[in-house]
mmCIF file with all atom_site columns, all heavy atoms in Angstrom:
data_model
loop_
_atom_site.group_PDB
_atom_site.id
_atom_site.type_symbol
_atom_site.label_atom_id
_atom_site.label_alt_id
_atom_site.label_comp_id
_atom_site.label_asym_id
_atom_site.label_entity_id
_atom_site.label_seq_id
_atom_site.pdbx_PDB_ins_code
_atom_site.Cartn_x
_atom_site.Cartn_y
_atom_site.Cartn_z
_atom_site.occupancy
_atom_site.B_iso_or_equiv
_atom_site.pdbx_formal_charge
_atom_site.auth_seq_id
_atom_site.auth_comp_id
_atom_site.auth_asym_id
_atom_site.auth_atom_id
_atom_site.pdbx_PDB_model_num
ATOM 1   N N   . LEU D 1 1  ? 34.103 -45.175 -28.358 1.00 53.00 ? 23 LEU D N   1
ATOM 2   C CA  . LEU D 1 1  ? 33.778 -46.548 -28.007 1.00 53.00 ? 23 LEU D CA  1
ATOM 3   C C   . LEU D 1 1  ? 32.467 -46.976 -28.659 1.00 53.00 ? 23 LEU D C   1
ATOM 4   O O   . LEU D 1 1  ? 32.256 -48.157 -28.946 1.00 53.00 ? 23 LEU D O   1
ATOM 5   C CB  . LEU D 1 1  ? 33.682 -46.698 -26.481 1.00 53.00 ? 23 LEU D CB  1
ATOM 6   C CG  . LEU D 1 1  ? 35.019 -46.622 -25.740 1.00 53.00 ? 23 LEU D CG  1
ATOM 7   C CD1 . LEU D 1 1  ? 34.769 -46.607 -24.226 1.00 53.00 ? 23 LEU D CD1 1
ATOM 8   C CD2 . LEU D 1 1  ? 35.914 -47.797 -26.118 1.00 53.00 ? 23 LEU D CD2 1
ATOM 9   N N   . GLY D 1 2  ? 31.597 -45.971 -28.885 1.00 52.00 ? 24 GLY D N   1
ATOM 10  C CA  . GLY D 1 2  ? 30.320 -46.278 -29.500 1.00 52.00 ? 24 GLY D CA  1
ATOM 11  C C   . GLY D 1 2  ? 30.329 -46.115 -30.998 1.00 52.00 ? 24 GLY D C   1
ATOM 12  O O   . GLY D 1 2  ? 29.280 -46.156 -31.638 1.00 52.00 ? 24 GLY D O   1
ATOM 13  N N   . GLY D 1 3  ? 31.503 -45.886 -31.572 1.00 50.00 ? 25 GLY D N   1
ATOM 14  C CA  . GLY D 1 3  ? 31.594 -45.757 -33.015 1.00 50.00 ? 25 GLY D CA  1
ATOM 15  C C   . GLY D 1 3  ? 31.473 -44.346 -33.511 1.00 50.00 ? 25 GLY D C   1
ATOM 16  O O   . GLY D 1 3  ? 31.273 -44.122 -34.701 1.00 50.00 ? 25 GLY D O   1
ATOM 17  N N   . GLY D 1 4  ? 31.563 -43.378 -32.599 1.00 49.00 ? 26 GLY D N   1
ATOM 18  C CA  . GLY D 1 4  ? 31.466 -41.981 -32.992 1.00 49.00 ? 26 GLY D CA  1
ATOM 19  C C   . GLY D 1 4  ? 32.675 -41.523 -33.765 1.00 49.00 ? 26 GLY D C   1
ATOM 20  O O   . GLY D 1 4  ? 33.646 -42.263 -33.962 1.00 49.00 ? 26 GLY D O   1
ATOM 21  N N   . ARG D 1 5  ? 32.657 -40.245 -34.206 1.00 47.00 ? 27 ARG D N   1
ATOM 22  C CA  . ARG D 1 5  ? 33.760 -39.705 -35.003 1.00 47.00 ? 27 ARG D CA  1
ATOM 23  C C   . ARG D 1 5  ? 35.006 -39.587 -34.160 1.00 47.00 ? 27 ARG D C   1
ATOM 24  O O   . ARG D 1 5  ? 34.961 -39.234 -32.992 1.00 47.00 ? 27 ARG D O   1
ATOM 25  C CB  . ARG D 1 5  ? 33.383 -38.309 -35.542 1.00 47.00 ? 27 ARG D CB  1
ATOM 26  C CG  . ARG D 1 5  ? 34.414 -37.780 -36.543 1.00 47.00 ? 27 ARG D CG  1
ATOM 27  C CD  . ARG D 1 5  ? 34.008 -36.398 -37.015 1.00 47.00 ? 27 ARG D CD  1
ATOM 28  N NE  . ARG D 1 5  ? 34.079 -35.439 -35.932 1.00 47.00 ? 27 ARG D NE  1
ATOM 29  C CZ  . ARG D 1 5  ? 35.224 -34.860 -35.527 1.00 47.00 ? 27 ARG D CZ  1
ATOM 30  N NH1 . ARG D 1 5  ? 36.358 -35.177 -36.098 1.00 47.00 ? 27 ARG D NH1 1
ATOM 31  N NH2 . ARG D 1 5  ? 35.211 -33.971 -34.553 1.00 47.00 ? 27 ARG D NH2 1
ATOM 32  N N   . LYS D 1 6  ? 36.154 -39.873 -34.758 1.00 46.00 ? 28 LYS D N   1
ATOM 33  C CA  . LYS D 1 6  ? 37.423 -39.730 -34.062 1.00 46.00 ? 28 LYS D CA  1
ATOM 34  C C   . LYS D 1 6  ? 38.496 -39.336 -35.044 1.00 46.00 ? 28 LYS D C   1
ATOM 35  O O   . LYS D 1 6  ? 38.344 -39.477 -36.249 1.00 46.00 ? 28 LYS D O   1
ATOM 36  C CB  . LYS D 1 6  ? 37.800 -41.024 -33.348 1.00 46.00 ? 28 LYS D CB  1
ATOM 37  C CG  . LYS D 1 6  ? 38.084 -42.182 -34.294 1.00 46.00 ? 28 LYS D CG  1
ATOM 38  C CD  . LYS D 1 6  ? 38.418 -43.448 -33.523 1.00 46.00 ? 28 LYS D CD  1
ATOM 39  C CE  . LYS D 1 6  ? 38.655 -44.609 -34.507 1.00 46.00 ? 28 LYS D CE  1
ATOM 40  N NZ  . LYS D 1 6  ? 38.947 -45.854 -33.791 1.00 46.00 ? 28 LYS D NZ  1
ATOM 41  N N   . SER D 1 7  ? 39.618 -38.849 -34.521 1.00 46.00 ? 29 SER D N   1
ATOM 42  C CA  . SER D 1 7  ? 40.772 -38.543 -35.363 1.00 46.00 ? 29 SER D CA  1
ATOM 43  C C   . SER D 1 7  ? 41.954 -39.294 -34.815 1.00 46.00 ? 29 SER D C   1
ATOM 44  O O   . SER D 1 7  ? 42.043 -39.565 -33.622 1.00 46.00 ? 29 SER D O   1
ATOM 45  C CB  . SER D 1 7  ? 41.054 -37.032 -35.380 1.00 46.00 ? 29 SER D CB  1
ATOM 46  O OG  . SER D 1 7  ? 41.436 -36.602 -34.103 1.00 46.00 ? 29 SER D OG  1
ATOM 47  N N   . GLY D 1 8  ? 42.885 -39.669 -35.691 1.00 44.00 ? 30 GLY D N   1
ATOM 48  C CA  . GLY D 1 8  ? 44.076 -40.375 -35.234 1.00 44.00 ? 30 GLY D CA  1
ATOM 49  C C   . GLY D 1 8  ? 43.906 -41.879 -35.341 1.00 44.00 ? 30 GLY D C   1
ATOM 50  O O   . GLY D 1 8  ? 42.860 -42.399 -35.715 1.00 44.00 ? 30 GLY D O   1
ATOM 51  N N   . ASP D 1 9  ? 44.970 -42.606 -35.003 1.00 42.00 ? 31 ASP D N   1
ATOM 52  C CA  . ASP D 1 9  ? 44.929 -44.057 -35.078 1.00 42.00 ? 31 ASP D CA  1
ATOM 53  C C   . ASP D 1 9  ? 44.488 -44.646 -33.755 1.00 42.00 ? 31 ASP D C   1
ATOM 54  O O   . ASP D 1 9  ? 44.046 -43.935 -32.854 1.00 42.00 ? 31 ASP D O   1
ATOM 55  C CB  . ASP D 1 9  ? 46.307 -44.607 -35.475 1.00 42.00 ? 31 ASP D CB  1
ATOM 56  C CG  . ASP D 1 9  ? 47.400 -44.144 -34.527 1.00 42.00 ? 31 ASP D CG  1
ATOM 57  O OD1 . ASP D 1 9  ? 47.079 -43.817 -33.360 1.00 42.00 ? 31 ASP D OD1 1
ATOM 58  O OD2 . ASP D 1 9  ? 48.572 -44.099 -34.953 1.00 42.00 ? 31 ASP D OD2 1
ATOM 59  N N   . ASP D 1 10 ? 44.601 -45.946 -33.590 1.00 38.00 ? 32 ASP D N   1
ATOM 60  C CA  . ASP D 1 10 ? 44.114 -46.613 -32.389 1.00 38.00 ? 32 ASP D CA  1
ATOM 61  C C   . ASP D 1 10 ? 44.830 -46.126 -31.143 1.00 38.00 ? 32 ASP D C   1
ATOM 62  O O   . ASP D 1 10 ? 44.242 -46.057 -30.062 1.00 38.00 ? 32 ASP D O   1
ATOM 63  C CB  . ASP D 1 10 ? 44.279 -48.132 -32.518 1.00 38.00 ? 32 ASP D CB  1
ATOM 64  C CG  . ASP D 1 10 ? 43.342 -48.718 -33.551 1.00 38.00 ? 32 ASP D CG  1
ATOM 65  O OD1 . ASP D 1 10 ? 42.363 -48.024 -33.907 1.00 38.00 ? 32 ASP D OD1 1
ATOM 66  O OD2 . ASP D 1 10 ? 43.606 -49.842 -33.999 1.00 38.00 ? 32 ASP D OD2 1
ATOM 67  N N   . LEU D 1 11 ? 46.137 -45.793 -31.260 1.00 36.00 ? 33 LEU D N   1
ATOM 68  C CA  . LEU D 1 11 ? 46.892 -45.356 -30.092 1.00 36.00 ? 33 LEU D CA  1
ATOM 69  C C   . LEU D 1 11 ? 46.439 -43.982 -29.616 1.00 36.00 ? 33 LEU D C   1
ATOM 70  O O   . LEU D 1 11 ? 46.696 -43.596 -28.484 1.00 36.00 ? 33 LEU D O   1
ATOM 71  C CB  . LEU D 1 11 ? 48.395 -45.322 -30.418 1.00 36.00 ? 33 LEU D CB  1
ATOM 72  C CG  . LEU D 1 11 ? 49.034 -46.689 -30.709 1.00 36.00 ? 33 LEU D CG  1
ATOM 73  C CD1 . LEU D 1 11 ? 50.500 -46.525 -31.097 1.00 36.00 ? 33 LEU D CD1 1
ATOM 74  C CD2 . LEU D 1 11 ? 48.915 -47.593 -29.478 1.00 36.00 ? 33 LEU D CD2 1
ATOM 75  N N   . SER D 1 12 ? 45.771 -43.254 -30.486 1.00 38.00 ? 34 SER D N   1
ATOM 76  C CA  . SER D 1 12 ? 45.308 -41.919 -30.106 1.00 38.00 ? 34 SER D CA  1
ATOM 77  C C   . SER D 1 12 ? 43.863 -41.925 -29.656 1.00 38.00 ? 34 SER D C   1
ATOM 78  O O   . SER D 1 12 ? 43.271 -40.870 -29.479 1.00 38.00 ? 34 SER D O   1
ATOM 79  C CB  . SER D 1 12 ? 45.472 -40.947 -31.282 1.00 38.00 ? 34 SER D CB  1
ATOM 80  O OG  . SER D 1 12 ? 44.581 -41.289 -32.326 1.00 38.00 ? 34 SER D OG  1
ATOM 81  N N   . LEU D 1 13 ? 43.310 -43.113 -29.470 1.00 34.00 ? 35 LEU D N   1
ATOM 82  C CA  . LEU D 1 13 ? 41.896 -43.204 -29.101 1.00 34.00 ? 35 LEU D CA  1
ATOM 83  C C   . LEU D 1 13 ? 41.583 -42.396 -27.848 1.00 34.00 ? 35 LEU D C   1
ATOM 84  O O   . LEU D 1 13 ? 40.587 -41.698 -27.769 1.00 34.00 ? 35 LEU D O   1
ATOM 85  C CB  . LEU D 1 13 ? 41.517 -44.671 -28.874 1.00 34.00 ? 35 LEU D CB  1
ATOM 86  C CG  . LEU D 1 13 ? 40.061 -44.929 -28.452 1.00 34.00 ? 35 LEU D CG  1
ATOM 87  C CD1 . LEU D 1 13 ? 39.118 -44.507 -29.572 1.00 34.00 ? 35 LEU D CD1 1
ATOM 88  C CD2 . LEU D 1 13 ? 39.857 -46.407 -28.113 1.00 34.00 ? 35 LEU D CD2 1
ATOM 89  N N   . ILE D 1 14 ? 42.491 -42.471 -26.831 1.00 33.00 ? 36 ILE D N   1
ATOM 90  C CA  . ILE D 1 14 ? 42.254 -41.774 -25.579 1.00 33.00 ? 36 ILE D CA  1
ATOM 91  C C   . ILE D 1 14 ? 42.798 -40.356 -25.620 1.00 33.00 ? 36 ILE D C   1
ATOM 92  O O   . ILE D 1 14 ? 42.140 -39.404 -25.222 1.00 33.00 ? 36 ILE D O   1
ATOM 93  C CB  . ILE D 1 14 ? 42.896 -42.536 -24.402 1.00 33.00 ? 36 ILE D CB  1
ATOM 94  C CG1 . ILE D 1 14 ? 42.301 -43.951 -24.331 1.00 33.00 ? 36 ILE D CG1 1
ATOM 95  C CG2 . ILE D 1 14 ? 42.682 -41.795 -23.096 1.00 33.00 ? 36 ILE D CG2 1
ATOM 96  C CD1 . ILE D 1 14 ? 40.826 -43.976 -24.079 1.00 33.00 ? 36 ILE D CD1 1
ATOM 97  N N   . ASP D 1 15 ? 44.030 -40.185 -26.133 1.00 40.00 ? 37 ASP D N   1
ATOM 98  C CA  . ASP D 1 15 ? 44.721 -38.902 -26.020 1.00 40.00 ? 37 ASP D CA  1
ATOM 99  C C   . ASP D 1 15 ? 44.314 -37.891 -27.078 1.00 40.00 ? 37 ASP D C   1
ATOM 100 O O   . ASP D 1 15 ? 44.332 -36.700 -26.821 1.00 40.00 ? 37 ASP D O   1
ATOM 101 C CB  . ASP D 1 15 ? 46.234 -39.109 -26.104 1.00 40.00 ? 37 ASP D CB  1
ATOM 102 C CG  . ASP D 1 15 ? 46.753 -39.869 -24.891 1.00 40.00 ? 37 ASP D CG  1
ATOM 103 O OD1 . ASP D 1 15 ? 46.136 -39.717 -23.816 1.00 40.00 ? 37 ASP D OD1 1
ATOM 104 O OD2 . ASP D 1 15 ? 47.737 -40.604 -25.020 1.00 40.00 ? 37 ASP D OD2 1
ATOM 105 N N   . ALA D 1 16 ? 43.980 -38.342 -28.276 1.00 39.00 ? 38 ALA D N   1
ATOM 106 C CA  . ALA D 1 16 ? 43.792 -37.392 -29.360 1.00 39.00 ? 38 ALA D CA  1
ATOM 107 C C   . ALA D 1 16 ? 42.407 -37.417 -29.977 1.00 39.00 ? 38 ALA D C   1
ATOM 108 O O   . ALA D 1 16 ? 42.139 -36.672 -30.895 1.00 39.00 ? 38 ALA D O   1
ATOM 109 C CB  . ALA D 1 16 ? 44.837 -37.633 -30.465 1.00 39.00 ? 38 ALA D CB  1
ATOM 110 N N   . ALA D 1 17 ? 41.527 -38.295 -29.502 1.00 39.00 ? 39 ALA D N   1
ATOM 111 C CA  . ALA D 1 17 ? 40.190 -38.338 -30.076 1.00 39.00 ? 39 ALA D CA  1
ATOM 112 C C   . ALA D 1 17 ? 39.470 -37.014 -29.843 1.00 39.00 ? 39 ALA D C   1
ATOM 113 O O   . ALA D 1 17 ? 39.628 -36.386 -28.808 1.00 39.00 ? 39 ALA D O   1
ATOM 114 C CB  . ALA D 1 17 ? 39.399 -39.478 -29.457 1.00 39.00 ? 39 ALA D CB  1
ATOM 115 N N   . GLN D 1 18 ? 38.682 -36.592 -30.827 1.00 44.00 ? 40 GLN D N   1
ATOM 116 C CA  . GLN D 1 18 ? 37.947 -35.337 -30.718 1.00 44.00 ? 40 GLN D CA  1
ATOM 117 C C   . GLN D 1 18 ? 36.477 -35.600 -30.954 1.00 44.00 ? 40 GLN D C   1
ATOM 118 O O   . GLN D 1 18 ? 36.110 -36.423 -31.786 1.00 44.00 ? 40 GLN D O   1
ATOM 119 C CB  . GLN D 1 18 ? 38.448 -34.318 -31.749 1.00 44.00 ? 40 GLN D CB  1
ATOM 120 C CG  . GLN D 1 18 ? 39.919 -33.965 -31.584 1.00 44.00 ? 40 GLN D CG  1
ATOM 121 C CD  . GLN D 1 18 ? 40.398 -33.059 -32.699 1.00 44.00 ? 40 GLN D CD  1
ATOM 122 O OE1 . GLN D 1 18 ? 39.624 -32.692 -33.580 1.00 44.00 ? 40 GLN D OE1 1
ATOM 123 N NE2 . GLN D 1 18 ? 41.662 -32.706 -32.662 1.00 44.00 ? 40 GLN D NE2 1
ATOM 124 N N   . ASP D 1 19 ? 35.638 -34.914 -30.242 1.00 45.00 ? 41 ASP D N   1
ATOM 125 C CA  . ASP D 1 19 ? 34.207 -35.082 -30.452 1.00 45.00 ? 41 ASP D CA  1
ATOM 126 C C   . ASP D 1 19 ? 33.545 -33.785 -30.892 1.00 45.00 ? 41 ASP D C   1
ATOM 127 O O   . ASP D 1 19 ? 32.332 -33.674 -30.906 1.00 45.00 ? 41 ASP D O   1
ATOM 128 C CB  . ASP D 1 19 ? 33.531 -35.606 -29.174 1.00 45.00 ? 41 ASP D CB  1
ATOM 129 C CG  . ASP D 1 19 ? 33.563 -34.578 -28.057 1.00 45.00 ? 41 ASP D CG  1
ATOM 130 O OD1 . ASP D 1 19 ? 34.465 -33.736 -28.073 1.00 45.00 ? 41 ASP D OD1 1
ATOM 131 O OD2 . ASP D 1 19 ? 32.667 -34.630 -27.188 1.00 45.00 ? 41 ASP D OD2 1
ATOM 132 N N   . HIS D 1 20 ? 34.367 -32.775 -31.209 1.00 47.00 ? 42 HIS D N   1
ATOM 133 C CA  . HIS D 1 20 ? 33.768 -31.530 -31.692 1.00 47.00 ? 42 HIS D CA  1
ATOM 134 C C   . HIS D 1 20 ? 34.739 -30.823 -32.618 1.00 47.00 ? 42 HIS D C   1
ATOM 135 O O   . HIS D 1 20 ? 35.951 -31.011 -32.557 1.00 47.00 ? 42 HIS D O   1
ATOM 136 C CB  . HIS D 1 20 ? 33.387 -30.604 -30.533 1.00 47.00 ? 42 HIS D CB  1
ATOM 137 C CG  . HIS D 1 20 ? 34.547 -30.216 -29.661 1.00 47.00 ? 42 HIS D CG  1
ATOM 138 N ND1 . HIS D 1 20 ? 35.480 -29.282 -30.027 1.00 47.00 ? 42 HIS D ND1 1
ATOM 139 C CD2 . HIS D 1 20 ? 34.897 -30.660 -28.424 1.00 47.00 ? 42 HIS D CD2 1
ATOM 140 C CE1 . HIS D 1 20 ? 36.384 -29.152 -29.056 1.00 47.00 ? 42 HIS D CE1 1
ATOM 141 N NE2 . HIS D 1 20 ? 36.047 -29.973 -28.082 1.00 47.00 ? 42 HIS D NE2 1
ATOM 142 N N   . ASP D 1 21 ? 34.186 -30.026 -33.524 1.00 53.00 ? 43 ASP D N   1
ATOM 143 C CA  . ASP D 1 21 ? 34.985 -29.207 -34.422 1.00 53.00 ? 43 ASP D CA  1
ATOM 144 C C   . ASP D 1 21 ? 35.266 -27.861 -33.785 1.00 53.00 ? 43 ASP D C   1
ATOM 145 O O   . ASP D 1 21 ? 34.629 -27.473 -32.809 1.00 53.00 ? 43 ASP D O   1
ATOM 146 C CB  . ASP D 1 21 ? 34.229 -28.992 -35.744 1.00 53.00 ? 43 ASP D CB  1
ATOM 147 C CG  . ASP D 1 21 ? 34.003 -30.294 -36.489 1.00 53.00 ? 43 ASP D CG  1
ATOM 148 O OD1 . ASP D 1 21 ? 34.965 -31.064 -36.609 1.00 53.00 ? 43 ASP D OD1 1
ATOM 149 O OD2 . ASP D 1 21 ? 32.850 -30.518 -36.934 1.00 53.00 ? 43 ASP D OD2 1
ATOM 150 N N   . ALA D 1 22 ? 36.219 -27.125 -34.366 1.00 54.00 ? 44 ALA D N   1
ATOM 151 C CA  . ALA D 1 22 ? 36.568 -25.805 -33.830 1.00 54.00 ? 44 ALA D CA  1
ATOM 152 C C   . ALA D 1 22 ? 35.374 -24.862 -33.870 1.00 54.00 ? 44 ALA D C   1
ATOM 153 O O   . ALA D 1 22 ? 35.269 -23.943 -33.056 1.00 54.00 ? 44 ALA D O   1
ATOM 154 C CB  . ALA D 1 22 ? 37.740 -25.224 -34.614 1.00 54.00 ? 44 ALA D CB  1
ATOM 155 N N   . ASP D 1 23 ? 34.432 -25.090 -34.852 1.00 64.00 ? 45 ASP D N   1
ATOM 156 C CA  . ASP D 1 23 ? 33.280 -24.208 -34.989 1.00 64.00 ? 45 ASP D CA  1
ATOM 157 C C   . ASP D 1 23 ? 32.080 -24.672 -34.168 1.00 64.00 ? 45 ASP D C   1
ATOM 158 O O   . ASP D 1 23 ? 31.028 -24.038 -34.197 1.00 64.00 ? 45 ASP D O   1
ATOM 159 C CB  . ASP D 1 23 ? 32.870 -24.103 -36.464 1.00 64.00 ? 45 ASP D CB  1
ATOM 160 C CG  . ASP D 1 23 ? 33.909 -23.351 -37.289 1.00 64.00 ? 45 ASP D CG  1
ATOM 161 O OD1 . ASP D 1 23 ? 34.619 -22.513 -36.696 1.00 64.00 ? 45 ASP D OD1 1
ATOM 162 O OD2 . ASP D 1 23 ? 34.004 -23.602 -38.503 1.00 64.00 ? 45 ASP D OD2 1
ATOM 163 N N   . SER D 1 24 ? 32.235 -25.762 -33.435 1.00 66.00 ? 46 SER D N   1
ATOM 164 C CA  . SER D 1 24 ? 31.142 -26.241 -32.613 1.00 66.00 ? 46 SER D CA  1
ATOM 165 C C   . SER D 1 24 ? 30.993 -25.372 -31.377 1.00 66.00 ? 46 SER D C   1
ATOM 166 O O   . SER D 1 24 ? 31.845 -24.520 -31.079 1.00 66.00 ? 46 SER D O   1
ATOM 167 C CB  . SER D 1 24 ? 31.392 -27.693 -32.198 1.00 66.00 ? 46 SER D CB  1
ATOM 168 O OG  . SER D 1 24 ? 32.494 -27.747 -31.301 1.00 66.00 ? 46 SER D OG  1
ATOM 169 N N   . LEU D 1 25 ? 29.906 -25.601 -30.622 1.00 62.00 ? 47 LEU D N   1
ATOM 170 C CA  . LEU D 1 25 ? 29.690 -24.844 -29.394 1.00 62.00 ? 47 LEU D CA  1
ATOM 171 C C   . LEU D 1 25 ? 30.855 -25.013 -28.435 1.00 62.00 ? 47 LEU D C   1
ATOM 172 O O   . LEU D 1 25 ? 31.384 -24.039 -27.883 1.00 62.00 ? 47 LEU D O   1
ATOM 173 C CB  . LEU D 1 25 ? 28.389 -25.313 -28.737 1.00 62.00 ? 47 LEU D CB  1
ATOM 174 C CG  . LEU D 1 25 ? 28.086 -24.734 -27.344 1.00 62.00 ? 47 LEU D CG  1
ATOM 175 C CD1 . LEU D 1 25 ? 27.950 -23.217 -27.426 1.00 62.00 ? 47 LEU D CD1 1
ATOM 176 C CD2 . LEU D 1 25 ? 26.812 -25.362 -26.774 1.00 62.00 ? 47 LEU D CD2 1
ATOM 177 N N   . GLU D 1 26 ? 31.288 -26.268 -28.244 1.00 65.00 ? 48 GLU D N   1
ATOM 178 C CA  . GLU D 1 26 ? 32.397 -26.524 -27.326 1.00 65.00 ? 48 GLU D CA  1
ATOM 179 C C   . GLU D 1 26 ? 33.675 -25.848 -27.797 1.00 65.00 ? 48 GLU D C   1
ATOM 180 O O   . GLU D 1 26 ? 34.439 -25.289 -27.013 1.00 65.00 ? 48 GLU D O   1
ATOM 181 C CB  . GLU D 1 26 ? 32.620 -28.025 -27.167 1.00 65.00 ? 48 GLU D CB  1
ATOM 182 C CG  . GLU D 1 26 ? 31.508 -28.759 -26.451 1.00 65.00 ? 48 GLU D CG  1
ATOM 183 C CD  . GLU D 1 26 ? 30.388 -29.161 -27.400 1.00 65.00 ? 48 GLU D CD  1
ATOM 184 O OE1 . GLU D 1 26 ? 30.433 -28.748 -28.583 1.00 65.00 ? 48 GLU D OE1 1
ATOM 185 O OE2 . GLU D 1 26 ? 29.459 -29.868 -26.966 1.00 65.00 ? 48 GLU D OE2 1
ATOM 186 N N   . GLY D 1 27 ? 33.895 -25.906 -29.106 1.00 71.00 ? 49 GLY D N   1
ATOM 187 C CA  . GLY D 1 27 ? 35.107 -25.289 -29.649 1.00 71.00 ? 49 GLY D CA  1
ATOM 188 C C   . GLY D 1 27 ? 35.120 -23.794 -29.471 1.00 71.00 ? 49 GLY D C   1
ATOM 189 O O   . GLY D 1 27 ? 36.146 -23.193 -29.144 1.00 71.00 ? 49 GLY D O   1
ATOM 190 N N   . ARG D 1 28 ? 33.966 -23.160 -29.652 1.00 71.00 ? 50 ARG D N   1
ATOM 191 C CA  . ARG D 1 28 ? 33.892 -21.702 -29.498 1.00 71.00 ? 50 ARG D CA  1
ATOM 192 C C   . ARG D 1 28 ? 34.053 -21.286 -28.030 1.00 71.00 ? 50 ARG D C   1
ATOM 193 O O   . ARG D 1 28 ? 34.677 -20.271 -27.736 1.00 71.00 ? 50 ARG D O   1
ATOM 194 C CB  . ARG D 1 28 ? 32.558 -21.196 -30.059 1.00 71.00 ? 50 ARG D CB  1
ATOM 195 C CG  . ARG D 1 28 ? 32.541 -21.114 -31.588 1.00 71.00 ? 50 ARG D CG  1
ATOM 196 C CD  . ARG D 1 28 ? 31.231 -20.583 -32.098 1.00 71.00 ? 50 ARG D CD  1
ATOM 197 N NE  . ARG D 1 28 ? 30.171 -21.577 -31.953 1.00 71.00 ? 50 ARG D NE  1
ATOM 198 C CZ  . ARG D 1 28 ? 28.872 -21.285 -31.909 1.00 71.00 ? 50 ARG D CZ  1
ATOM 199 N NH1 . ARG D 1 28 ? 28.469 -20.024 -31.962 1.00 71.00 ? 50 ARG D NH1 1
ATOM 200 N NH2 . ARG D 1 28 ? 27.969 -22.239 -31.801 1.00 71.00 ? 50 ARG D NH2 1
ATOM 201 N N   . ILE D 1 29 ? 33.486 -22.085 -27.102 1.00 68.00 ? 51 ILE D N   1
ATOM 202 C CA  . ILE D 1 29 ? 33.665 -21.786 -25.680 1.00 68.00 ? 51 ILE D CA  1
ATOM 203 C C   . ILE D 1 29 ? 35.130 -21.883 -25.300 1.00 68.00 ? 51 ILE D C   1
ATOM 204 O O   . ILE D 1 29 ? 35.683 -21.007 -24.623 1.00 68.00 ? 51 ILE D O   1
ATOM 205 C CB  . ILE D 1 29 ? 32.815 -22.740 -24.820 1.00 68.00 ? 51 ILE D CB  1
ATOM 206 C CG1 . ILE D 1 29 ? 31.325 -22.433 -25.006 1.00 68.00 ? 51 ILE D CG1 1
ATOM 207 C CG2 . ILE D 1 29 ? 33.193 -22.619 -23.347 1.00 68.00 ? 51 ILE D CG2 1
ATOM 208 C CD1 . ILE D 1 29 ? 30.411 -23.409 -24.309 1.00 68.00 ? 51 ILE D CD1 1
#
């Protein structure tokens, strides 16, 4: 909503948006 990184089209804004990579802290946890 604030213009951050996302993946997918507009319909995936809620279901498929990602805020971290697999190698990020969250991804590793």
Side-chain angles (χ1 to χ4, degrees):
L23 289 173
R27 188 181 67 81
K28 66 181 178 181
S29 65
D31 56 24
D32 291 342
L33 294 177
S34 68
L35 179 64
I36 301 298
D37 293 330
Q40 299 175 1
D41 67 334
H42 59 76
D43 297 313
D45 291 333
S46 68
L47 173 61
E48 292 85 353
R50 282 181 287 158
I51 291 174

